[in-house]
Amino acid sequence: MTENTAPRIVVRRTVQAPASKVFTLLSDPARHAEIDGSGTVRAAVGTTPITTVGEVFVMEMHREARAAGADYRTDNHVVRLKPDRRIAWTTALVDDTPSGFFWEFELQLEDELTTEVVHTYDWSQVTDPAVLERVGFPLVSAAQMQATLDRLANAVA
């Protein structure tokens, strides 16, 4: 199911895995390229799993349409974290201030071996008109986000 109401996209998928297994994968930035359905995530810089709000993890990224060049790095500031239930981060170019958009994965237990994953991309807090124009939200589509959930489901199967 997809909810596409700018300035937010929400997709859902039931995954045949316990929430703890899904959360372990999501909290490991080294595995984000494996599940990325947009083709923009290349690799984590470092291999430390996410354990607390306030942490920052760095990702190597690639985007063809990017005016400043195809390859870049992002700082990802963890803003929500509840083990086995929720993880979210806001993104900025390295050494820059986050502009107000975030990515979130919420895990809803259906039973011990089944988890509904709700993946949200929200840019409602972006208020700088220059950022809105330069970035061109949304950066990814609902279909790409759904592909992420499909890849996630395969990775934890």
Side-chain angles (χ1 to χ4, degrees):
M1 184 177 122
T2 300
E3 172 192 325
N4 189 351
T5 55
R8 167 197 310 221
I9 300 171
V10 179
V11 296
R12 302 168 184 271
R13 165 135 188 194
T14 298
V15 173
Q16 299 305 311
S20 60
K21 188 171 183 179
V22 176
F23 184 83
T24 296
L25 186 151
L26 292 170
S27 63
D28 183 356
R31 297 199 61 197
H32 288 191
E34 175 186 349
I35 64 167
D36 173 46
S38 72
T40 60
V41 178
R42 293 298 189 236
V45 177
T47 58
T48 306
I50 299 163
T51 59
T52 187
V53 168
E55 288 180 324
V56 177
F57 61 96
V58 179
M59 299 299 291
E60 298 279 351
M61 306 291 291
H62 177 83
R63 184 172 150 101
E64 290 298 326
R66 205 170 150 69
D71 296 318
Y72 59 103
R73 284 185 173 188
T74 59
D75 281 343
N76 300 278
H77 303 256
V78 179
V79 294
R80 295 184 188 119
L81 183 79
K82 185 173 182 182
D84 302 341
R85 296 293 181 258
R86 178 181 306 241
I87 187 167
W89 55 87
T90 186
T91 302
L93 293 177
V94 168
D95 298 327
D96 204 352
T97 302
S99 58
F101 67 95
F102 69 89
W103 306 92
E104 181 171 44
F105 292 87
E106 182 181 357
L107 311 179
Q108 300 172 352
L109 252 53
E110 292 190 1
D111 60 45
E112 289 180 10
L113 300 175
T114 309
T115 305
E116 182 180 37
V117 182
V118 181
H119 182 21
T120 302
Y121 168 40
D122 186 312
W123 62 98
S124 64
Q125 301 302 308
V126 178
T127 58
D128 185 336
V131 171
L132 288 167
E133 184 177 326
R134 181 182 76 239
V135 172
F137 292 98
L139 291 168
V140 300
S141 68
Q144 290 169 316
M145 292 174 62
Q146 196 67 55
T148 296
L149 294 184
D150 293 344
R151 292 174 76 150
L152 172 68
N154 288 333
V156 296

